[in-house]
Amino acid sequence: MEQESLYERLGGVNAIAMVVDRFSDAIIENPKLQENPALREWNDSGQLAGLKFMRTLWLCQEAGGPFEYTGKGMGEAHEQLHITSEEFDEVGAEIARALDHFKVPERETQEVLAAIVARKDEVVNPSP
């Protein structure tokens, strides 16, 4: 018997989009993440809807779903934001809170967070 993918266990695109929507809004409101002037400027740029779409595509792909993320690499996408390790961890905490809000089981939560953490070096130390 074939094991369900993380994508399937999370509930598919609609469930993933709801989690992305929640944590994306929380990131914008998080005072710790508003201290970074580059993040604050981006948050005020009016591009959040498109970012939510791209985050949903990325997470669906990472979870083994039938979608292909076609956006920038993580390093390139975050290069101008100068994200610190602490800020990255705070974003991870917001993602964890969103998963918890939707009562995502521990196994799936850990798999999602592992996919995020695997990109930390790309985001915090982007190559020029």
Side-chain angles (χ1 to χ4, degrees):
M1 182 180 220
E2 191 174 313
Q3 186 177 6
E4 286 187 313
S5 68
L6 175 58
Y7 173 83
E8 293 164 325
R9 289 182 283 128
L10 288 170
V13 66
N14 289 330
I16 291 170
M18 289 190 307
V19 170
V20 169
D21 185 61
R22 184 169 184 91
F23 80 69
S24 295
D25 288 346
I27 288 168
I28 298 289
E29 299 297 321
N30 186 312
K32 293 178 185 176
L33 298 171
Q34 290 298 313
E35 293 174 12
N36 177 328
L39 277 176
R40 191 171 52 250
E41 182 181 332
W42 194 96
N43 291 341
D44 292 338
S45 72
Q47 300 178 69
L48 185 59
L51 179 60
K52 287 179 180 182
F53 175 74
M54 296 307 284
R55 283 176 172 162
T56 300
L57 282 179
W58 183 85
L59 189 51
C60 285
Q61 176 182 292
E62 289 294 305
F67 296 91
E68 181 180 352
Y69 172 75
T70 58
K72 297 176 181 177
M74 292 299 137
E76 181 184 356
H78 295 88
E79 185 176 16
Q80 300 302 317
L81 299 176
H82 311 290
I83 295 173
T84 66
S85 182
E86 293 78 18
E87 290 164 342
F88 184 93
D89 293 344
E90 188 63 26
V91 168
E94 290 295 358
I95 295 168
R97 286 189 276 275
L99 292 163
D100 185 57
H101 173 81
F102 289 107
K103 298 179 178 23
V104 173
E106 184 65 21
R107 175 184 172 200
E108 287 74 18
T109 293
Q110 290 307 314
E111 289 180 46
V112 169
L113 294 176
I116 305 296
V117 170
R119 301 290 195 247
K120 185 172 185 172
D121 280 343
E122 294 173 54
V123 172
V124 174
N125 302 307
S127 299

